[in-house]
Coordinates of all heavy atoms in Angstrom, one line a residue:
A834 N 0.8 -1.2 0.0 CA 0.0 0.0 0.0 C 0.9 1.3 0.0 O 0.5 2.2 -0.6 CB -0.9 0.0 1.2
R835 N 2.0 1.2 0.7 CA 2.9 2.4 0.7 C 3.4 2.7 -0.6 O 3.5 3.9 -1.0 CB 4.0 2.1 1.7 CG 4.8 3.3 2.0 CD 5.8 3.0 3.1 NE 6.6 4.2 3.4 CZ 6.3 5.0 4.4 NH1 5.4 4.7 5.3 NH2 7.1 6.1 4.6
G836 N 3.7 1.7 -1.5 CA 4.2 2.0 -2.8 C 3.1 2.7 -3.7 O 3.4 3.6 -4.5
E837 N 1.9 2.3 -3.4 CA 0.8 3.0 -4.1 C 0.7 4.5 -3.7 O 0.4 5.3 -4.6 CB -0.6 2.3 -3.8 CG -0.8 1.0 -4.5 CD -0.9 1.1 -6.0 OE1 -1.5 2.0 -6.5 OE2 -0.3 0.3 -6.6
D838 N 1.0 4.8 -2.4 CA 1.0 6.2 -2.0 C 2.0 7.0 -2.7 O 1.7 8.1 -3.2 CB 1.2 6.3 -0.5 CG 0.1 5.7 0.3 OD1 -1.0 5.5 -0.2 OD2 0.4 5.3 1.5
Y839 N 3.2 6.4 -2.9 CA 4.3 7.1 -3.6 C 3.9 7.3 -5.1 O 4.2 8.4 -5.7 CB 5.6 6.4 -3.5 CG 6.2 6.5 -2.1 CD1 6.5 5.3 -1.4 CD2 6.4 7.7 -1.5 CE1 7.0 5.4 -0.1 CE2 6.9 7.7 -0.2 CZ 7.2 6.6 0.5 OH 7.7 6.6 1.8
R840 N 3.3 6.3 -5.7 CA 2.9 6.4 -7.1 C 1.9 7.5 -7.3 O 2.0 8.3 -8.2 CB 2.4 5.1 -7.6 CG 3.5 4.1 -7.8 CD 2.9 2.7 -8.1 NE 2.0 2.7 -9.3 CZ 1.6 1.7 -9.9 NH1 1.9 0.5 -9.5 NH2 0.7 1.7 -10.9
M841 N 0.9 7.6 -6.3 CA -0.1 8.7 -6.4 C 0.5 10.0 -6.3 O 0.0 11.0 -6.9 CB -1.2 8.4 -5.5 CG -2.1 7.2 -5.8 SD -2.6 7.1 -7.5 CE -3.6 8.5 -7.6
L842 N 1.5 10.2 -5.5 CA 2.2 11.5 -5.3 C 2.8 11.9 -6.6 O 2.9 13.1 -6.9 CB 3.3 11.4 -4.2 CG 2.7 11.3 -2.8 CD1 3.9 11.1 -1.8 CD2 1.9 12.6 -2.4
A843 N 3.3 11.0 -7.4 CA 3.9 11.3 -8.7 C 2.9 11.6 -9.8 O 3.3 12.2 -10.8 CB 4.8 10.1 -9.1
V844 N 1.7 11.3 -9.6 CA 0.7 11.4 -10.7 C 0.5 12.9 -11.2 O 0.6 13.1 -12.4 CB -0.7 10.8 -10.3 CG1 -1.8 11.2 -11.2 CG2 -0.5 9.3 -10.3
P845 N 0.3 13.8 -10.3 CA 0.0 15.2 -10.8 C 1.2 15.8 -11.7 O 0.9 16.3 -12.8 CB -0.2 16.0 -9.5 CG -0.7 15.0 -8.6 CD 0.0 13.8 -8.9
P846 N 2.5 15.7 -11.2 CA 3.5 16.3 -12.0 C 3.7 15.5 -13.3 O 4.0 16.0 -14.4 CB 4.8 16.3 -11.2 CG 4.5 15.4 -10.0 CD 3.0 15.3 -9.9
L847 N 3.6 14.2 -13.2 CA 3.7 13.3 -14.4 C 2.6 13.6 -15.4 O 2.9 13.7 -16.6 CB 3.7 11.8 -14.0 CG 4.0 10.8 -15.1 CD1 5.3 11.1 -15.9 CD2 4.0 9.4 -14.5
E848 N 1.4 13.8 -14.9 CA 0.3 14.1 -15.8 C 0.5 15.4 -16.5 O 0.3 15.5 -17.7 CB -1.0 14.2 -14.9 CG -2.3 14.2 -15.7 CD -3.5 14.2 -14.8 OE1 -3.4 13.6 -13.7 OE2 -4.5 14.8 -15.2
A849 N 1.0 16.4 -15.8 CA 1.3 17.7 -16.4 C 2.4 17.6 -17.5 O 2.2 18.2 -18.6 CB 1.8 18.7 -15.4
V850 N 3.4 16.8 -17.3 CA 4.5 16.7 -18.3 C 3.9 16.0 -19.5 O 4.2 16.4 -20.7 CB 5.7 15.9 -17.7 CG1 6.6 15.5 -18.8 CG2 6.4 16.8 -16.7
L851 N 3.2 14.9 -19.3 CA 2.6 14.1 -20.4 C 1.7 14.9 -21.3 O 1.6 14.8 -22.5 CB 2.0 12.8 -19.9 CG 2.9 11.8 -19.3 CD1 2.2 10.7 -18.6 CD2 3.9 11.3 -20.3
R852 N 0.9 15.8 -20.6 CA -0.1 16.6 -21.3 C 0.7 17.7 -22.2 O 0.4 17.9 -23.4 CB -1.0 17.4 -20.4 CG -2.0 16.6 -19.8 CD -2.9 17.5 -18.8 NE -3.7 16.6 -18.0 CZ -4.8 16.0 -18.5 NH1 -5.2 16.2 -19.7 NH2 -5.6 15.3 -17.6
A853 N 1.8 18.2 -21.6 CA 2.6 19.2 -22.3 C 3.3 18.6 -23.5 O 3.4 19.3 -24.5 CB 3.6 19.9 -21.3
E854 N 3.7 17.4 -23.4 CA 4.4 16.7 -24.5 C 3.5 16.0 -25.4 O 3.9 15.3 -26.4 CB 5.4 15.7 -23.9 CG 6.5 16.4 -23.1 CD 7.4 17.3 -23.9 OE1 7.7 16.9 -25.1 OE2 7.8 18.4 -23.4
H855 N 2.1 16.0 -25.2 CA 1.2 15.4 -26.0 C 1.4 13.9 -26.1 O 1.3 13.2 -27.2 CB 1.1 16.0 -27.4 CG 0.8 17.4 -27.4 ND1 -0.4 17.9 -27.4 CD2 1.7 18.5 -27.4 CE1 -0.4 19.3 -27.4 NE2 0.9 19.6 -27.4
E856 N 1.8 13.3 -25.0 CA 2.0 11.8 -24.9 C 0.7 11.2 -24.4 O 0.6 10.9 -23.2 CB 3.2 11.6 -23.9 CG 4.5 12.1 -24.4 CD 5.0 11.3 -25.6 OE1 4.6 10.1 -25.8 OE2 5.9 11.8 -26.3
W857 N -0.2 10.9 -25.3 CA -1.5 10.5 -24.9 C -1.6 9.1 -24.4 O -2.3 8.9 -23.4 CB -2.5 10.6 -26.1 CG -2.4 12.0 -26.8 CD1 -2.3 12.2 -28.1 CD2 -2.5 13.3 -26.1 NE1 -2.3 13.6 -28.3 CE2 -2.4 14.3 -27.2 CE3 -2.6 13.7 -24.8 CZ2 -2.4 15.6 -26.9 CZ3 -2.7 15.0 -24.6 CH2 -2.6 16.0 -25.6
V858 N -0.9 8.1 -24.9 CA -0.9 6.8 -24.4 C -0.4 6.7 -23.0 O -1.1 6.1 -22.1 CB -0.2 5.8 -25.4 CG1 -0.2 4.4 -24.8 CG2 -1.0 5.7 -26.7
P859 N 0.8 7.2 -22.7 CA 1.2 7.2 -21.3 C 0.3 8.0 -20.4 O 0.1 7.6 -19.2 CB 2.6 7.8 -21.3 CG 3.1 7.7 -22.7 CD 1.8 7.7 -23.6
L860 N -0.3 9.1 -20.9 CA -1.2 9.8 -20.1 C -2.4 9.0 -19.7 O -2.9 9.1 -18.5 CB -1.6 11.1 -20.8 CG -2.6 12.0 -20.1 CD1 -2.1 12.4 -18.7 CD2 -2.9 13.2 -20.9
I861 N -2.9 8.2 -20.6 CA -4.1 7.3 -20.3 C -3.7 6.4 -19.2 O -4.5 6.1 -18.3 CB -4.5 6.6 -21.6 CG1 -5.2 7.6 -22.6 CG2 -5.5 5.5 -21.3 CD1 -5.5 7.1 -23.9
E862 N -2.5 5.9 -19.3 CA -2.0 4.9 -18.2 C -2.0 5.6 -16.9 O -2.3 5.0 -15.8 CB -0.6 4.4 -18.6 CG -0.7 3.5 -19.8 CD 0.7 3.1 -20.3 OE1 1.7 3.4 -19.7 OE2 0.7 2.4 -21.4
V863 N -1.5 6.9 -16.8 CA -1.5 7.6 -15.6 C -2.9 7.9 -15.1 O -3.2 7.8 -13.9 CB -0.7 8.9 -15.8 CG1 -0.9 9.9 -14.6 CG2 0.7 8.7 -16.0
L864 N -3.8 8.2 -16.0 CA -5.2 8.4 -15.6 C -5.8 7.1 -15.1 O -6.7 7.1 -14.2 CB -6.1 8.9 -16.8 CG -5.7 10.3 -17.2 CD1 -6.5 10.7 -18.5 CD2 -6.1 11.3 -16.1
E865 N -5.4 5.9 -15.6 CA -5.8 4.7 -15.0 C -5.4 4.5 -13.6 O -6.2 4.0 -12.8 CB -5.3 3.5 -15.9 CG -6.0 3.3 -17.2 CD -5.4 2.3 -18.1 OE1 -4.3 1.7 -17.7 OE2 -5.9 2.0 -19.1
L866 N -4.2 5.0 -13.2 CA -3.8 5.0 -11.8 C -4.7 5.8 -11.0 O -5.1 5.4 -9.9 CB -2.4 5.5 -11.7 CG -1.3 4.6 -12.2 CD1 0.1 5.4 -12.1 CD2 -1.2 3.3 -11.4
R867 N -5.1 7.0 -11.5 CA -6.0 7.9 -10.8 C -7.4 7.2 -10.6 O -8.0 7.3 -9.5 CB -6.2 9.2 -11.5 CG -5.1 10.2 -11.3 CD -5.4 11.6 -11.9 NE -6.7 12.1 -11.7 CZ -7.3 12.9 -12.5 NH1 -6.7 13.3 -13.6 NH2 -8.5 13.4 -12.2
L868 N -7.8 6.6 -11.6 CA -9.1 5.9 -11.6 C -9.1 4.8 -10.5 O -10.1 4.7 -9.8 CB -9.4 5.3 -13.0 CG -10.8 4.7 -13.2 CD1 -11.9 5.7 -13.0 CD2 -10.9 4.0 -14.5
K869 N -8.1 4.0 -10.4 CA -8.0 2.9 -9.4 C -8.0 3.5 -8.0 O -8.5 2.9 -7.1 CB -6.7 2.1 -9.6 CG -6.7 1.2 -10.8 CD -5.4 0.5 -11.0 CE -5.4 -0.3 -12.3 NZ -4.1 -1.0 -12.5
A870 N -7.5 4.7 -7.8 CA -7.4 5.3 -6.5 C -8.7 6.1 -6.1 O -8.9 6.4 -4.9 CB -6.2 6.2 -6.4
E871 N -9.5 6.3 -7.1 CA -10.7 7.2 -6.9 C -11.9 6.3 -6.5 O -12.2 5.4 -7.3 CB -11.0 8.0 -8.1 CG -12.1 9.0 -7.9 CD -11.9 10.0 -6.8 OE1 -11.0 10.7 -6.8 OE2 -12.7 9.9 -5.9
D872 N -12.6 6.7 -5.5 CA -13.8 5.9 -5.1 C -15.1 6.6 -5.4 O -16.1 6.0 -5.7 CB -13.8 5.7 -3.6 CG -12.7 4.7 -3.1 OD1 -12.4 3.8 -3.9 OD2 -12.2 4.9 -2.0
A873 N -15.1 8.0 -5.5 CA -16.3 8.8 -5.7 C -16.7 8.7 -7.2 O -15.9 8.7 -8.1 CB -16.1 10.2 -5.4
L874 N -18.0 8.5 -7.4 CA -18.6 8.3 -8.8 C -18.3 9.5 -9.7 O -17.8 9.3 -10.8 CB -20.1 8.1 -8.7 CG -20.8 7.9 -10.0 CD1 -20.2 6.6 -10.7 CD2 -22.3 7.7 -9.8
G875 N -18.5 10.7 -9.2 CA -18.3 11.9 -10.1 C -16.9 12.0 -10.7 O -16.8 12.1 -11.9
P876 N -15.9 12.0 -9.8 CA -14.5 12.1 -10.3 C -14.2 10.9 -11.2 O -13.5 11.0 -12.2 CB -13.7 12.1 -9.1 CG -14.5 12.7 -8.0 CD -15.9 12.2 -8.4
R877 N -14.7 9.7 -10.9 CA -14.5 8.5 -11.8 C -15.0 8.7 -13.2 O -14.4 8.4 -14.2 CB -15.1 7.2 -11.1 CG -14.3 6.7 -9.9 CD -14.9 5.5 -9.3 NE -14.9 4.4 -10.3 CZ -13.8 3.6 -10.5 NH1 -12.7 3.8 -9.9 NH2 -13.9 2.6 -11.4
V878 N -16.2 9.3 -13.2 CA -16.9 9.6 -14.5 C -16.0 10.6 -15.3 O -15.8 10.4 -16.5 CB -18.3 10.0 -14.4 CG1 -18.9 10.6 -15.7 CG2 -19.2 8.9 -13.8
E879 N -15.5 11.6 -14.6 CA -14.7 12.6 -15.3 C -13.4 12.0 -15.8 O -13.0 12.3 -17.0 CB -14.3 13.7 -14.3 CG -15.5 14.6 -14.0 CD -15.1 15.7 -12.9 OE1 -13.9 15.9 -12.7 OE2 -16.0 16.2 -12.3
I880 N -12.8 11.1 -15.0 CA -11.5 10.5 -15.5 C -11.8 9.6 -16.7 O -11.1 9.6 -17.7 CB -10.9 9.7 -14.3 CG1 -10.4 10.6 -13.2 CG2 -9.7 8.8 -14.8 CD1 -10.1 9.9 -11.9
L881 N -12.9 8.8 -16.6 CA -13.2 7.9 -17.7 C -13.5 8.7 -19.0 O -13.1 8.3 -20.1 CB -14.4 7.0 -17.4 CG -14.0 5.9 -16.4 CD1 -15.3 5.2 -15.8 CD2 -13.2 4.8 -17.1
S882 N -14.2 9.8 -18.8 CA -14.6 10.7 -20.0 C -13.3 11.2 -20.6 O -13.2 11.2 -21.9 CB -15.5 11.8 -19.6 OG -16.7 11.3 -19.1
E883 N -12.4 11.6 -19.8 CA -11.1 12.2 -20.3 C -10.3 11.1 -21.0 O -9.7 11.3 -22.1 CB -10.2 12.8 -19.3 CG -8.9 13.3 -19.8 CD -8.3 14.4 -19.1 OE1 -8.7 14.6 -17.9 OE2 -7.3 14.9 -19.6
M884 N -10.3 9.9 -20.5 CA -9.6 8.8 -21.1 C -10.2 8.5 -22.5 O -9.5 8.2 -23.4 CB -9.7 7.5 -20.2 CG -8.8 7.6 -19.0 SD -9.1 6.3 -17.7 CE -8.5 4.9 -18.6
A885 N -11.5 8.5 -22.6 CA -12.2 8.3 -23.9 C -11.8 9.4 -24.9 O -11.5 9.1 -26.0 CB -13.7 8.2 -23.7
R886 N -11.8 10.6 -24.4 CA -11.4 11.7 -25.3 C -10.0 11.6 -25.8 O -9.7 11.8 -27.0 CB -11.5 13.1 -24.6 CG -13.0 13.6 -24.5 CD -13.0 15.0 -24.1 NE -12.4 15.3 -22.8 CZ -13.0 15.1 -21.6 NH1 -14.2 14.8 -21.5 NH2 -12.3 15.4 -20.5
L887 N -9.1 11.1 -24.9 CA -7.7 10.9 -25.3 C -7.6 9.8 -26.3 O -6.8 9.8 -27.2 CB -6.8 10.7 -24.1 CG -6.6 11.9 -23.2 CD1 -6.0 11.5 -21.9 CD2 -5.8 13.0 -23.9
E888 N -8.3 8.7 -26.1 CA -8.3 7.6 -27.0 C -8.8 8.0 -28.4 O -8.2 7.7 -29.4 CB -9.2 6.5 -26.5 CG -8.7 5.7 -25.3 CD -7.6 4.7 -25.8 OE1 -7.5 4.4 -26.9 OE2 -7.0 4.1 -24.8
E889 N -9.8 8.9 -28.4 CA -10.3 9.4 -29.7 C -9.3 10.3 -30.4 O -9.0 10.2 -31.6 CB -11.6 10.2 -29.5 CG -12.8 9.3 -29.2 CD -14.0 10.1 -28.8 OE1 -13.9 11.4 -28.8 OE2 -15.0 9.5 -28.5
R890 N -8.6 11.1 -29.6 CA -7.6 12.0 -30.1 C -6.4 11.2 -30.7 O -5.9 11.4 -31.8 CB -7.1 12.9 -29.0 CG -6.0 13.9 -29.5 CD -5.5 14.8 -28.4 NE -6.6 15.7 -28.0 CZ -6.6 16.4 -27.0 NH1 -5.6 16.4 -26.1 NH2 -7.6 17.3 -26.7
G891 N -6.0 10.2 -30.0 CA -4.9 9.3 -30.4 C -5.3 8.6 -31.7 O -4.5 8.4 -32.6
E892 N -6.6 8.1 -31.8 CA -7.0 7.4 -33.0 C -7.0 8.4 -34.2 O -6.6 8.0 -35.3 CB -8.4 6.8 -32.8 CG -8.9 6.0 -33.9 CD -8.0 4.9 -34.3 OE1 -7.4 4.2 -33.4 OE2 -8.0 4.6 -35.5
A893 N -7.5 9.6 -34.0 CA -7.4 10.6 -35.0 C -6.0 10.9 -35.5 O -5.8 11.0 -36.7 CB -8.1 11.9 -34.6
I894 N -5.1 11.0 -34.6 CA -3.7 11.2 -35.0 C -3.2 10.0 -35.8 O -2.5 10.2 -36.8 CB -2.8 11.5 -33.7 CG1 -3.2 12.8 -33.1 CG2 -1.4 11.4 -34.0 CD1 -2.7 13.1 -31.8
R895 N -3.5 8.8 -35.3 CA -3.0 7.6 -36.0 C -3.6 7.5 -37.5 O -2.9 7.2 -38.4 CB -3.4 6.3 -35.3 CG -2.5 6.1 -34.1 CD -2.8 4.7 -33.4 NE -4.1 4.6 -32.8 CZ -4.3 5.1 -31.5 NH1 -3.4 5.6 -30.8 NH2 -5.5 5.0 -31.0
R896 N -4.9 7.9 -37.6 CA -5.5 7.9 -38.9 C -4.9 8.9 -39.8 O -4.6 8.7 -41.0 CB -7.0 8.2 -38.8 CG -7.8 7.0 -38.5 CD -9.3 7.2 -38.8 NE -9.8 8.5 -38.1 CZ -10.4 8.5 -36.9 NH1 -10.5 7.4 -36.2 NH2 -10.8 9.7 -36.5
R897 N -4.6 10.1 -39.3 CA -4.0 11.2 -40.1 C -2.6 10.7 -40.5 O -2.2 10.9 -41.7 CB -3.9 12.5 -39.2 CG -3.5 13.7 -40.0 CD -3.5 15.0 -39.2 NE -4.6 15.1 -38.3 CZ -4.5 15.3 -37.0 NH1 -3.3 15.5 -36.5 NH2 -5.5 15.4 -36.2
H898 N -1.8 10.1 -39.6 CA -0.5 9.6 -40.0 C -0.6 8.6 -41.1 O 0.2 8.6 -42.0 CB 0.2 9.1 -38.7 CG 1.5 8.5 -39.0 ND1 2.6 9.3 -39.3 CD2 2.0 7.2 -39.1 CE1 3.7 8.6 -39.5 NE2 3.3 7.3 -39.4
H899 N -1.5 7.7 -40.9 CA -1.7 6.6 -41.9 C -2.0 7.2 -43.3 O -1.4 6.8 -44.3 CB -2.9 5.7 -41.5 CG -3.2 4.7 -42.5 ND1 -2.4 3.6 -42.8 CD2 -4.3 4.6 -43.4 CE1 -3.0 2.9 -43.7 NE2 -4.1 3.5 -44.1
Y900 N -2.9 8.2 -43.4 CA -3.3 8.8 -44.7 C -2.1 9.6 -45.2 O -1.9 9.6 -46.4 CB -4.5 9.8 -44.5 CG -5.8 9.0 -44.2 CD1 -6.6 9.4 -43.2 CD2 -6.1 7.9 -45.0 CE1 -7.8 8.7 -42.9 CE2 -7.3 7.2 -44.7 CZ -8.1 7.6 -43.7 OH -9.2 6.9 -43.4
M901 N -1.3 10.3 -44.4 CA -0.2 11.0 -44.9 C 0.9 10.0 -45.4 O 1.5 10.3 -46.5 CB 0.5 11.8 -43.7 CG -0.4 13.0 -43.3 SD -0.8 14.1 -44.5 CE 0.7 14.9 -44.8
Q902 N 1.0 8.9 -44.8 CA 2.0 7.9 -45.3 C 1.5 7.4 -46.7 O 2.3 7.1 -47.6 CB 2.1 6.7 -44.4 CG 2.8 7.0 -43.1 CD 4.2 7.4 -43.3 OE1 4.9 7.0 -44.3 NE2 4.7 8.3 -42.5
R903 N 0.2 7.3 -46.9 CA -0.3 6.8 -48.2 C -0.1 7.8 -49.3 O 0.1 7.5 -50.5 CB -1.8 6.5 -48.1 CG -2.0 5.2 -47.2 CD -3.4 4.9 -47.0 NE -3.9 4.3 -48.3 CZ -5.2 4.0 -48.5 NH1 -6.1 4.4 -47.6 NH2 -5.5 3.4 -49.6
L904 N 0.0 9.1 -48.9 CA 0.2 10.2 -49.9 C 1.6 10.2 -50.4 O 1.9 10.7 -51.5 CB -0.2 11.5 -49.3 CG -1.7 11.7 -49.1 CD1 -2.0 13.0 -48.4 CD2 -2.5 11.6 -50.4
I905 N 2.5 9.8 -49.5 CA 4.0 9.9 -49.8 C 4.4 8.8 -50.8 O 4.0 7.8 -50.9 CB 4.8 9.8 -48.5 CG1 4.5 11.0 -47.7 CG2 6.3 9.7 -48.8 CD1 5.1 11.0 -46.3

């Protein structure tokens, strides 16, 4: 349990860095940590909604990259 406490302390600064660097997949993994630690329904829904938006964003980026590769 103590290791989990240390991991949760690292979440906010890590989340900020990943957002700034547009690292969506690792950010989703960090949000999963937040989700596991959150018990309240409202914050859980917010975290899940954000994870879904990031998944959609990542998919759009992958599609754009795929189409650009086809044009080259």
Side-chain angles (χ1 to χ4, degrees):
R835 189 173 181 103
E837 287 293 318
D838 293 339
Y839 290 123
R840 286 174 53 171
M841 291 311 298
L842 288 174
V844 166
L847 184 55
E848 190 175 332
V850 169
L851 294 172
R852 285 180 193 285
E854 296 295 322
H855 304 273
E856 294 289 341
W857 308 130
V858 173
L860 178 55
I861 290 169
E862 293 171 4
V863 170
L864 290 173
E865 286 175 356
L866 288 174
R867 280 185 46 207
L868 185 64
K869 288 178 185 177
E871 184 57 62
D872 293 327
L874 180 60
R877 288 182 61 81
V878 169
E879 289 176 20
I880 294 167
L881 287 167
S882 295
E883 178 157 12
M884 290 169 68
R886 282 192 301 273
L887 290 170
E888 286 283 349
E889 290 172 359
R890 181 180 292 168
E892 183 59 33
I894 291 168
R895 284 188 290 277
R896 277 195 309 267
R897 190 176 321 128
H898 178 73
H899 173 75
Y900 291 131
M901 292 302 287
Q902 290 296 329
R903 293 178 76 189
L904 290 174
I905 296 175

